[in-house]
Amino acid sequence: MGKVILLCGKICSGKTHYAARLLSETGGVLLSCDEIMFGLDLDRLLDHLEDVHAVMIPKIQHYLYKKATEIVIAGSDVVLDFGFWSRQERKAVSKYFSDRHIPYEWHYIHVSCETWAQNIAERNRNRPADTAAYELNDRLLAKMERQFEEPLPGEVDVWFNNERV
């Protein structure tokens, strides 16, 4: 049986790069809400993106939890690249996999304020115009930062410091 690796971290903390590194080392399957959301044609909904996000993401996540369970039972590792911003969400996901006897690990991608700002600027600069990757403006970032609860050290199995050098 494989295991589920749950990636926790702010937007633009480097979760996707970390996931790619994990997968190159261990193999497995990446499941990402962003991949699904970016694949949808949301351009006409940009004025209501936050509402769409609030409705769609929980449904996508639940579907991907079920897929992760199937993949792990089939013998492969799964990396869930979601963010898991709140303690309540992390507890609920831990319970979901624990109740199904699915092995899992929490990996937190920590990023300093300086590196985070650089990552955000780079994302905004390199964001393709034909994608649903919306610009991260100050208002949206402030809202996201208020919602994110950094995990306590005992909450995660791996604490990865993602810093630019």
Side-chain angles (χ1 to χ4, degrees):
M1 184 179 288
K3 70 179 170 195
V4 178
I5 300 172
L6 303 146
L7 301 187
C8 172
K10 295 179 185 179
I11 191 168
C12 288
S13 62
K15 293 182 302 296
T16 301
H17 291 289
Y18 181 80
R21 194 174 103 194
L22 280 176
L23 292 173
S24 72
E25 292 171 3
T26 64
V29 177
L30 173 68
L31 298 179
S32 165
C33 288
D34 286 350
E35 277 187 4
I36 294 172
M37 289 296 286
F38 292 166
L40 299 174
D41 179 17
L42 299 177
D43 291 346
R44 60 183 168 61
L45 302 173
L46 287 179
D47 292 338
H48 306 284
L49 191 57
E50 289 182 45
D51 296 332
V52 170
H53 193 270
V55 170
M56 293 293 293
I57 291 296
K59 291 177 181 185
I60 291 169
Q61 285 178 327
H62 183 71
Y63 171 76
L64 292 179
Y65 298 156
K66 291 191 314 186
K67 290 290 135 192
T69 300
E70 292 171 13
I71 293 166
V72 166
I73 290 170
S76 186
D77 289 345
V78 174
V79 176
L80 287 178
D81 179 4
F82 289 6
F84 300 106
W85 289 7
S86 74
R87 283 186 188 91
Q88 179 180 351
E89 180 182 18
R90 292 189 293 269
K91 284 181 183 176
V93 173
S94 293
K95 182 175 179 355
Y96 179 92
F97 289 114
S98 185
D99 286 353
R100 289 158 180 78
H101 308 289
I102 300 297
Y104 64 92
E105 289 180 356
W106 282 103
H107 290 223
Y108 173 52
I109 292 69
H110 177 266
V111 65
S112 70
C113 292
E114 296 81 20
T115 297
W116 193 47
Q118 291 173 349
N119 290 354
I120 291 164
E122 185 176 312
R123 178 189 193 253
N124 283 341
R125 237 186 350 267
N126 298 328
R127 182 177 59 90
D130 63 341
T131 174
Y134 44 86
E135 181 177 1
L136 296 173
N137 59 38
D138 290 340
R139 181 189 64 79
L140 187 56
L141 285 169
K143 179 180 178 180
M144 290 176 171
E145 194 158 25
R146 283 190 308 273
Q147 292 176 344
F148 184 77
E149 296 175 297
E150 184 172 81
L152 302 171
E155 247 187 287
V156 296
D157 302 294
V158 176
W159 189 288
F160 178 75
N161 285 312
N162 186 26
E163 295 304 320
R164 292 177 179 241
V165 285

